[in-house]
Amino acid sequence: MNVFARPTPEARGLGMTSQRARDRLIDRLKADGIADRRVLDVLRRLPRHLFVEEALASRAYEDTALPIGQAQTISQPWVVARMTEALIEHKVPAKVLEIGTGSGYQAAVLAALCGNVYTVERIEELLRNARRRFRKLGIENLRSRHDDGKLGWPEHAPFDAIILTAAGEAVDPILFDQLAPDGVLIAPVGPPGTQQLLRYRQADNGWAAQSLGAVSFVPLLGGLG
Ligand code: SAH
């Protein structure tokens, strides 16, 4: 992919946004248990500083969530890495649906690893900014849509993987209907303060969830923002 092959000076970064800053973040993620080299490699190359406002760029390689406006956040790099690792562990999905585009960072990570990425965001302004970033980075295997992602994206189903980056009380069955039989769905589930990151895969008697640990995500909301 393009930006990776030949990064612009802006994408390459300087000082707090330089390759050294990215490398330090990767060392930290490794120390904190992220082991998949494919994921570490993408995070090492993807300029996270382009996914936050300029005023926050110097903090882009801290392992922390950051505000992106509209009361939303770009997820913590460790969480992005963990979710991506869990998503591709058994098979690299050819077709992925992300619900909650936000800054576009998680979608860009997925686009670097998977065949085709579909991402849905309910807040138009966030989606506009994310699309500008996708264009700037030359990401072509990604389609985005302004909609309520609770409904999935039925026109492009079935997906090999579905990832929610906002937390609901439960996963709506409508999303499982859009998942391939050998697919995987990853979602933060539960009320603020007690959310668990769950990975669903097909078992003998339906979809079975495995917990990947405690997390803290913004809420999955209904309707358009
Ligand atoms: N993946 C994002 C994380 C953004 S935070 C990133 O890498 O930056 C979660 C996002 O989910 C927010 O932008 C929020 O507006 C969006 N969201 C919440 N409920 C949604 C819904 N029902 N449909 C689509 N997007 C939703």
Side-chain angles (χ1 to χ4, degrees):
M1 202 178 80
N2 28 58
V3 66
F4 291 149
R6 204 172 298 166
T8 60
E10 188 191 12
R12 212 175 291 130
L14 268 179
M16 298 292 277
T17 64
S18 65
Q19 189 59 54
R20 274 187 58 195
R22 276 191 284 287
D23 289 346
R24 274 197 298 272
L25 171 63
I26 299 310
D27 290 343
R28 172 151 184 194
L29 294 176
K30 276 194 212 160
D32 290 342
I34 303 298
D36 191 311
R37 299 183 67 104
R38 297 166 295 181
V39 174
L40 291 168
D41 196 43
V42 170
L43 265 66
R44 188 192 300 282
R45 289 180 294 152
L46 189 63
R48 188 170 184 258
H49 62 276
L50 299 187
F51 290 83
V52 297
E53 283 167 31
E54 240 176 283
L56 289 171
S58 65
R59 301 193 53 201
Y61 300 105
E62 292 175 17
D63 188 19
T64 176
L66 292 169
I68 54 171
Q70 313 281 327
Q72 305 303 321
T73 55
I74 178 173
S75 305
Q76 181 191 350
W78 186 88
V79 170
V80 172
R82 187 68 197 101
M83 288 176 94
T84 308
E85 205 172 54
L87 196 86
I88 67 173
E89 185 179 343
H90 295 94
K91 191 181 76 176
V92 174
K95 208 161 133 191
V96 185
L97 172 66
E98 180 197 31
I99 296 165
T101 315
S103 69
Y105 183 71
Q106 172 77 72
V109 169
L110 293 171
L113 289 163
C114 309
N116 283 290
V117 177
Y118 297 81
T119 181
V120 185
E121 170 59 53
R122 62 182 287 278
I123 300 178
E124 193 163 19
E125 189 186 329
L126 293 181
L127 187 60
R128 209 178 307 126
N129 291 335
R131 282 177 171 157
R132 192 171 36 73
R133 293 171 182 133
F134 300 145
R135 269 197 303 278
K136 192 183 253 184
L137 295 174
I139 299 172
E140 286 170 352
N141 58 334
L142 183 154
R143 291 178 67 175
S144 61
R145 163 172 166 147
H146 178 221
D147 205 349
D148 179 357
K150 279 188 174 176
L151 311 173
W153 194 338
E155 294 84 351
H156 292 290
F159 298 98
D160 302 304
I162 299 180
I163 178 170
L164 287 87
T165 65
E169 293 283 332
V171 179
D172 196 312
I174 213 171
L175 295 180
F176 289 109
D177 294 342
Q178 295 178 31
L179 196 55
D182 61 345
V184 51
L185 183 148
I186 295 189
V189 176
T194 59
Q195 293 168 11
Q196 290 286 319
L197 186 61
L198 300 182
R199 174 169 63 180
Y200 290 87
R201 298 179 71 218
Q202 188 83 261
D204 292 341
N205 50 355
W207 295 98
Q210 169 198 7
S211 177
L212 304 174
V215 283
S216 176
F217 275 82
V218 296
L220 185 70
L221 302 173
L224 297 183

